[in-house]
Amino acid sequence: MKKTILGGLILSLCLLFAPLSADAQQQQSILQNIQRTKTINAGYIPYPPFVIVDPNTKKLSGYFIDMMNEIVANMGQDIKINYEETTWGTMVVGVQSGKFDVVVSGIFSTIPRSMQVTFTRPVMLVGLSAVARSDDTRFKTDEDLKKPGLTIAVTAGEVGHGYAKQFLPNAKLIVLDTPDITRPMLEVLAGRADVGIADSMSVYNFVDAHKGKAANVFADRPLYLYGTGLLLPRDLQWKDFLDQAIDFLGYSKVLDRLEAKYKKGAAEWTSLKKNY
């Protein structure tokens, strides 16, 4: 009898301290896995000033990189972030497959994306705008983009691509599969497209860098506004943690500091901060 009890106790202790099986690890929340492995697997897409890649050192910086660093620093468990580059067209698959716990480039929340993955609460609102050549005066409203015969450049998987497919059936689309969100706008300057559609932040920075050549068509009246935050798998504990962390950074003025550091002009994005 004593041997039976002792054997049962030893077996229980072995099960308690044994490494988790693959199935058991999958049943854990992402947050629990991060606490166990001390690692966050994060995807990113170069997207200045949200994500900036140093061309020499490949070191990452930018609004959302700094925000994630602040969150990890406050977790206090020696957790590191393992970053891997992805693209607008592959980021959702990367999250769905378990490759990424989060994509940190500042991702727009849309209904089609939300059918497959989820998001943190928005950190800010970013608009959808368009670039035309500075001497092209054909575009005043969104209705002007619906005229027949236009060639419009977009980035594959990016919100401008979704907008064009849904609302611009008459346009000939140039769809560029690239992480470089400025490529559609370069198509305009090269004369291969009439309009390049992209987010208001990228358009603002592109026009600022090409003064006299490019025009921000919808600077004061974005085609759309998108809540912008982190892209996540459907894991309630992980989402709740990041939502609470973002709230904390907002209340403690960290997000104000990041905005002052990275935002160049009012047309880039709209803050959701609370004024007290």
Side-chain angles (χ1 to χ4, degrees), residues 138-159:
R138 289 177 293 170
F139 309 108
K140 301 292 191 300
T141 72
D142 57 343
E143 290 298 315
D144 294 326
L145 297 178
K146 299 176 183 178
K147 295 175 181 177
L150 294 180
T151 299
I152 296 177
V154 296
T155 302
E158 203 264 335
V159 289

Side-chain angles (χ1 to χ4, degrees), residues 117-242:
V117 290
T118 191
F119 301 83
T120 61
R121 76 158 187 79
V123 181
M124 76 272 286
L125 296 175
V126 179
L128 184 66
S129 189
V131 160
R133 290 180 294 278
S134 58
D135 59 353
D136 191 341
T137 60
R138 289 177 293 170
F139 309 108
K140 301 292 191 300
T141 72
D142 57 343
E143 290 298 315
D144 294 326
L145 297 178
K146 299 176 183 178
K147 295 175 181 177
L150 294 180
T151 299
I152 296 177
V154 296
T155 302
E158 203 264 335
V159 289
H161 186 196
Y163 180 90
K165 287 194 297 183
Q166 184 173 0
F167 296 110
L168 306 177
N170 295 321
K172 175 186 175 183
L173 293 185
I174 298 175
V175 181
L176 301 163
D177 189 5
T178 173
D180 182 1
I181 212 165
T182 67
R183 280 283 305 281
M185 296 175 272
L186 289 171
E187 293 293 300
V188 175
L189 295 190
R192 292 186 288 268
D194 299 294
V195 171
I197 298 179
D199 67 274
S200 57
M201 184 179 68
S202 297
V203 169
Y204 175 92
N205 290 323
F206 184 86
V207 171
D208 187 57
H210 297 83
K211 289 184 173 69
K213 296 181 180 180
N216 187 344
V217 179
F218 302 108
D220 300 322
R221 51 192 186 285
L223 297 167
Y224 260 46
L225 285 175
Y226 296 94
T228 304
L230 304 175
L231 180 71
L232 307 173
R234 292 194 177 281
D235 183 300
L236 290 177
Q237 278 194 15
W238 180 223
K239 172 178 164 52
D240 179 67
F241 166 75
L242 288 172

Side-chain angles (χ1 to χ4, degrees), residues 2-17:
K2 289 182 180 180
K3 288 183 179 180
T4 303
I5 295 173
L6 182 58
L9 179 60
I10 292 172
L11 177 60
S12 298
L13 289 171
C14 289
L15 291 173
L16 180 63
F17 292 104

Side-chain angles (χ1 to χ4, degrees), residues 23-92:
D23 289 342
Q25 290 177 25
Q26 288 180 355
Q27 290 174 3
Q28 282 193 318
S29 75
I30 291 172
L31 181 59
Q32 288 173 318
N33 278 330
I34 289 169
Q35 290 173 307
R36 180 177 57 82
T37 63
K38 309 296 184 186
T39 302
I40 297 172
N41 293 311
Y44 76 91
I45 304 163
Y47 187 21
F50 286 168
V51 175
I52 302 165
V53 183
D54 186 288
N56 298 315
T57 66
K58 304 304 179 184
K59 182 179 179 181
L60 301 180
S61 61
Y63 185 105
F64 277 89
I65 298 297
D66 288 4
M67 188 183 82
M68 282 299 298
N69 288 340
E70 290 280 351
I71 291 173
V72 168
N74 278 280
M75 292 174 77
Q77 297 182 7
D78 297 324
I79 290 169
K80 65 178 182 179
I81 307 176
N82 178 35
Y83 281 111
E84 183 175 334
E85 187 171 348
T86 185
T87 69
W88 304 109
T90 60
M91 62 182 181
V92 169

